[in-house]
Amino acid sequence: MTSRLLGAALILGLLSAIGPFAIDMYLPALPTIKESLHTDVDTVQMSLMVFFISLGIGQLIYGPLSDMVGRKPPIYFGLVIFALGSVGCAMAPDIHTLIVFRFIQGLGACAGMVVPRAIVRDMHTGHDAARLMSLLMLVFSVSPILAPLTGSLVIRLASWRGIFWTVTGAAVLGLILAFTALKETRPREQRVDSNLRSAVQAYITLLKDRHYLGLVLICSFGVASFFAYLANSSFVLINHYGLTPTLYSFAFSINAVAFIGAAQFTGKLGARFGLARLVRTAVVGYAVVMLVLLGLNLAGVDNLGVLMALLFVGYGFLGLVIPSSAVLALEDHGKIAGTASALLGTMQFVTGACVVGVIGRFLNGTALPMVAGIAGCSVVALGLAQVTLRHRRYVVVESAAAD
């Protein structure tokens, strides 16, 4: 891969990571925010859920907009909104104000989530797109490794409010990079037929495409299973297993390493075996590991080492599922890549928010509700993969790839 593509992956990954950074830095602070703002666990988690929801809703706007006006203007606008929302969060006097500004923050962050995927589709398709997407995810996935550790350090030095001042600075850096180093990949001549009517028609087309929807839902339930861990792991690992915020950050990072490392093999494995076969195989592995973890938990094996080991293996499989299914979903929709990427992102975050909400109803201070939610998502993703990826079109493509 050329240095130009490496540079593009670095910039796109950094832009994509700004929103997740605002999630992952925030996780070690959840118990502290609960005490500081004199609220309860459910209400604190609502500040995380509204961020997911606004990320999902906003992508429905930014995707078609990026098809109409180009890829760069929506990124500029989104980063400005994100910065304003972050300042509001940093100054929030109570939990309800924090929730409102987290929603605004999410509306800005989603530009960095949806537009980079469309840019990848502008530049490449097939295995090359999978390779670039996995490289983008390598940069993007630095967030769940470094952000919790950074968040723990910031909490010690400047309280939880310092986290939001830090991500404000990240948004300013993203604006500078987007303006000075990011190339426009949606030239004016390709925008001629893009307007509000075509955007509506594009969404109708996508919603009628069962294969696209199947792939999107595979990806969405995979992401939702990770969201279940995001929303609940700080309470489980800190309150139930007794880890400090710093140790929690290290534990969280271990699973991110598995996800990142596995994602880097998607290009090579996809080229050798076909992306569809890769997704089918990896989602089976993921479901099996998560069901084993659930079975052990139900049998009374409540051990941190067992939890972390099986999550490490499981999220390694998930690192193969998510980028590959995303590439397959966008493969046939290059002309409306922004819109297709938007619907993909919206489904991911709305599904994630719903799963987090359901798990929240069953919290009992142990790891069981979180583990059950993760295992349930893995089983749904497995069922969707078996239905969606057995279609003849994928068999033909895989046969050609093998030859």
Side-chain angles (χ1 to χ4, degrees):
M1 187 172 289
T2 66
S3 59
R4 182 177 66 85
L5 292 181
L6 287 171
L10 178 62
I11 296 169
L12 294 175
L14 289 172
L15 290 173
S16 299
I18 288 175
F21 212 75
I23 299 172
D24 299 330
M25 274 190 74
Y26 181 66
L27 297 179
L30 290 176
T32 304
I33 293 172
K34 171 180 171 290
E35 299 300 325
S36 174
L37 298 182
H38 309 291
T39 185
D40 54 37
V41 173
D42 283 349
T43 309
V44 171
Q45 285 192 331
M46 183 62 66
S47 68
L48 189 60
M49 285 181 60
V50 298
F51 190 81
F52 290 160
I53 292 170
S54 62
L55 278 174
I57 293 172
Q59 289 188 63
L60 292 174
I61 300 170
Y62 284 108
L65 189 64
S66 75
D67 287 337
M68 296 179 200
V69 303
R71 307 303 187 200
K72 295 182 68 172
I75 290 178
Y76 299 151
F77 180 78
L79 288 173
V80 170
I81 296 297
F82 176 82
L84 293 174
S86 299
V87 171
C89 290
M91 301 177 69
D94 54 61
I95 188 63
H96 301 294
T97 304
L98 178 64
I99 288 172
V100 170
F101 278 104
R102 282 289 277 175
F103 185 85
I104 295 171
Q105 191 187 38
L107 289 178
C110 56
M113 303 291 289
V114 64
V115 179
R117 282 195 302 262
I119 292 175
V120 169
R121 179 57 184 80
D122 290 340
M123 297 173 68
H124 291 289
T125 59
H127 307 309
D128 289 335
R131 192 174 296 113
L132 180 56
M133 186 77 79
S134 63
L135 190 60
L136 184 154
M137 289 188 67
L138 175 61
V139 180
F140 166 83
S141 298
V142 168
S143 171
I145 294 177
L146 297 183
L149 296 172
T150 306
S152 297
L153 179 61
V154 170
I155 293 168
R156 285 189 176 187
L157 298 177
S159 84
W160 62 267
R161 297 181 187 276
I163 291 172
F164 294 105
W165 291 116
T166 302
V167 297
T168 301
V172 173
L173 176 61
L175 271 172
I176 294 171
L177 287 173
F179 185 76
T180 60
L182 188 65
K183 301 293 184 181
E184 178 60 67
T185 59
R186 180 80 170 178
R188 187 175 299 274
E189 60 271 16
Q190 293 182 8
R191 309 174 205 161
V192 174
D193 296 327
S194 296
N195 49 50
L196 183 59
R197 182 177 180 180
S198 67
V200 173
Q201 184 58 51
Y203 278 124
I204 293 173
T205 299
L206 292 169
L207 291 171
K208 289 181 177 179
D209 187 340
R210 290 182 298 173
H211 299 290
Y212 168 83
L213 290 177
L215 288 160
V216 165
L217 288 171
I218 293 167
C219 194
S220 296
F221 277 97
V223 170
S225 69
F226 195 69
F227 282 0
Y229 183 68
L230 284 176
N232 295 281
S233 58
S234 60
F235 296 104
V236 171
L237 271 63
I238 294 174
N239 294 341
H240 181 58
Y241 290 114
L243 298 185
T244 65
T246 300
L247 287 176
Y248 162 73
S249 300
F250 280 108
F252 186 89
S253 300
I254 289 171
N255 291 322
V257 168
F259 184 90
I260 296 166
Q264 300 317 298
F265 292 96
T266 54
K268 291 183 178 179
L269 292 174
R272 181 170 182 180
F273 300 107
L275 290 174
R277 185 180 300 176
L278 176 61
V279 172
R280 286 204 310 267
T281 303
V283 79
V284 168
Y286 182 50
V288 168
V289 172
M290 292 302 99
L291 287 173
V292 168
L293 177 58
L294 177 60
L296 289 173
N297 209 276
L298 289 171
V301 181
D302 188 11
N303 181 276
L304 178 60
V306 172
L307 175 71
M308 295 306 300
L310 290 176
L311 284 175
F312 180 87
V313 176
Y315 285 139
F317 282 115
L318 189 62
L320 298 174
V321 173
I322 292 177
S324 301
S325 56
V327 168
L328 284 172
L330 300 180
E331 189 76 33
D332 296 334
H333 298 288
K335 292 183 178 180
I336 52 172
T339 306
S341 176
L343 187 56
L344 169 65
T346 295
M347 294 290 288
Q348 287 178 351
F349 283 96
V350 170
T351 304
C354 291
V355 167
V356 169
V358 170
I359 293 173
R361 301 297 92 193
F362 297 94
L363 294 179
N364 59 6
T366 72
L368 180 58
M370 179 184 76
V371 170
I374 294 171
C377 288
S378 71
V379 171
V380 174
L382 173 61
L384 288 165
Q386 295 304 310
V387 172
T388 303
L389 297 177
R390 283 186 173 179
H391 192 270
R392 183 177 178 276
R393 62 181 290 192
Y394 295 113
V395 175
V396 171
V397 171
E398 287 176 353
S399 298
D403 293 340

